[in-house]
Amino acid sequence: MWEKKTGRTLQKEHVPEEDILKWIKEAAFPLNILLSLGLSTFVRGEQANFDIDPAVGVEATQLYPDVAYTTVDEYLNRLI
């Protein structure tokens, strides 16, 4: 998204998944959680979208309807 918005190519450093798994095992909380999320999202391409069982909970926008939520796209526009 950032490259598309700015028209510039970002320098990327590719890290093998095995290295990230090692870092996760060695890291203390909460860094291990952040690394796990990064692995899921950026390495494996998994999305964090999931259905919420209405018997257990609700989505945040239903809990706090007065909050003006910002999308990642909108947030990146602020940085340009």
Side-chain angles (χ1 to χ4, degrees):
M1 289 176 81
W2 186 249
E3 287 180 335
K4 185 176 177 181
K5 286 184 173 300
T6 62
R8 297 183 348 205
T9 301
L10 298 173
Q11 181 179 346
K12 298 168 186 79
E13 182 177 335
H14 297 276
V15 178
E17 183 175 347
E18 297 78 29
D19 289 355
I20 299 171
L21 290 169
K22 181 181 173 205
W23 297 341
I24 292 169
K25 286 181 181 179
E26 294 173 351
F29 179 84
L31 180 58
N32 60 346
I33 301 298
L34 294 173
L35 289 169
S36 296
L37 290 171
L39 174 67
S40 296
T41 305
F42 299 112
V43 176
R44 296 183 177 155
E46 299 169 351
Q47 296 183 3
N49 297 335
F50 53 88
D51 293 326
I52 299 171
D53 180 355
V56 179
V58 296
E59 205 271 329
T61 57
Q62 292 175 317
L63 286 175
Y64 308 102
D66 297 334
V67 173
Y69 294 92
T70 304
T71 65
V72 172
D73 186 62
E74 292 167 338
Y75 185 78
L76 290 177
N77 285 337
R78 295 179 187 178
L79 302 173
I80 296 178

